[in-house]
């Protein structure tokens, strides 16, 4: 029996506007051993609509984990992170900032807004996939994720 056999499928929301990074993330999770469903939104407004189950996302599942880019159209990642962590119904969802920014200020701001982790995307595609698979192993098999809080 593998680790994945003991784990319920996980709903992951990837908030990413770069099609190449979306594809690499999908590939990394597909090759992983943890059963999950990866949902993708391409800007901050869509991400918040998904999490709040508004508009076209009214039937969306509550994410168990959010992977959030900072540099997004319409509403940037800082705004999304702040809104998620300010909402009593959503603040327990772990949010991992997954960004190309190596800025110390971005990292500090993300943690001040209660990000659960801050990862810089490697430029090399193989390293990117390895980073996602390591993230998957830790966050989906080692860490206990909270159920919806009422």
């Amino acid at each position: 029996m593998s680790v994945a056999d003991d784990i319920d499928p996980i709903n992951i929301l990837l908030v990413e506007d770069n099609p190449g990074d979306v594809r690499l993330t999908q590939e990394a999770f597909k090759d992983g051993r943890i059963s999950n469903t990866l949902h993708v939104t391409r800007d901050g407004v869509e991400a918040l609509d998904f999490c709040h189950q508004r508009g076209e996302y009214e039937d969306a599942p509550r994410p168990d984990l959010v992977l959030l880019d900072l540099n997004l159209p319409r509403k940037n990642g800082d705004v999304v992170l702040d809104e998620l962590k300010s909402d009593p119904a959503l603040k327990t969802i772990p949010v991992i900032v997954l960004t190309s920014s190596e800025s110390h200020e971005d990292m500090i701001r993300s943690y001040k807004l209660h990000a659960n982790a801050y990862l810089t995307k490697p430029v090399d595609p193989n390293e990117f996939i390895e980073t996602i698979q390591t993230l998957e192993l830790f966050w989906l098999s080692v860490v206990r994720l909270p159920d919806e809080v009422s």
Side-chain angles (χ1 to χ4, degrees):
M1 178 156 50
S2 73
V3 171
D5 294 336
D6 295 335
I7 300 172
D8 290 332
I10 302 294
N11 283 299
I12 301 166
L13 175 60
L14 173 62
V15 188
E16 175 61 66
D17 64 322
N18 181 319
D21 288 348
V22 170
R23 186 181 44 75
L24 285 172
T25 305
Q26 289 169 329
E27 185 178 319
F29 277 118
K30 182 181 69 175
D31 293 343
R33 296 183 302 252
I34 309 299
S35 176
N36 65 71
T37 303
L38 185 65
H39 307 273
V40 179
T41 58
R42 301 196 185 273
D43 66 49
V45 172
E46 285 182 16
L48 291 168
D49 285 349
F50 186 99
C51 291
H52 288 287
Q53 299 172 313
R54 297 185 295 227
E56 70 179 281
Y57 299 107
E58 68 181 341
D59 294 325
R62 179 182 192 271
D64 296 299
L65 183 69
V66 175
L67 304 179
L68 178 65
D69 189 18
L70 290 181
N71 302 311
L72 297 168
R74 296 181 25 180
K75 280 192 180 183
N76 71 30
D78 292 336
V79 173
V80 173
L81 180 58
D82 188 39
E83 284 194 38
L84 291 176
K85 293 302 184 176
S86 298
D87 186 318
L90 301 173
K91 70 181 179 181
T92 59
I93 299 171
V95 178
I96 300 168
V97 173
L98 184 62
T99 183
S100 56
S101 173
E102 295 184 12
S103 162
H104 185 70
E105 291 79 19
D106 285 347
M107 180 184 61
I108 296 298
R109 186 173 44 256
S110 294
Y111 280 119
K112 283 183 176 180
L113 292 171
H114 306 288
N116 297 87
Y118 186 97
L119 297 174
T120 302
K121 298 176 199 172
V123 175
D124 178 83
N126 292 325
E127 288 179 23
F128 184 94
I129 289 172
E130 186 178 314
T131 297
I132 296 298
Q133 289 175 337
T134 301
L135 175 151
E136 176 189 34
L137 181 63
F138 179 73
W139 282 97
L140 305 185
S141 65
V142 176
V143 172
R144 284 189 62 205
L145 297 174
D147 291 329
E148 187 170 348
V149 177
S150 4

